[in-house]
Amino acid sequence: MSLNVVHVICPQPPGHVGGSDLHVAELAAHQARTGLRPLVVQGRSPEYAERLRSRDPECGGPEPVDGYLS
């Protein structure tokens, strides 16, 4: 059985990196490596979404569309 995990974060603006941003990205990547299925729901930060996907392609979730997740 695979457990789904959802993290919700409002990342720092593009060009800035916050501690919680990095913590959530690393935590989600670790959870994915151990068999969990993490999803990180975040605001409209393409930079942060790319950072998530670089750690694990499934962690970034769907692309935001006009401020809403599709």
Side-chain angles (χ1 to χ4, degrees):
M1 179 172 76
S2 181
L3 182 64
N4 296 324
V5 179
V6 176
H7 302 280
V8 179
I9 188 165
C10 183
Q12 295 293 318
H16 298 87
V17 178
S20 59
D21 299 352
L22 295 174
H23 177 75
V24 168
E26 290 299 321
L27 178 60
H30 174 74
Q31 289 172 330
R33 287 190 302 268
T34 61
L36 298 174
R37 294 180 1 170
L39 172 66
V40 179
V41 178
Q42 55 101 8
R44 303 180 90 188
S45 176
E47 181 181 286
Y48 189 67
E50 184 55 39
R51 180 177 292 132
L52 291 170
R53 282 190 212 95
S54 72
R55 286 170 169 75
D56 185 278
E58 299 299 318
C59 288
E63 289 293 323
V65 176
D66 294 329
Y68 299 97
L69 293 175
S70 57

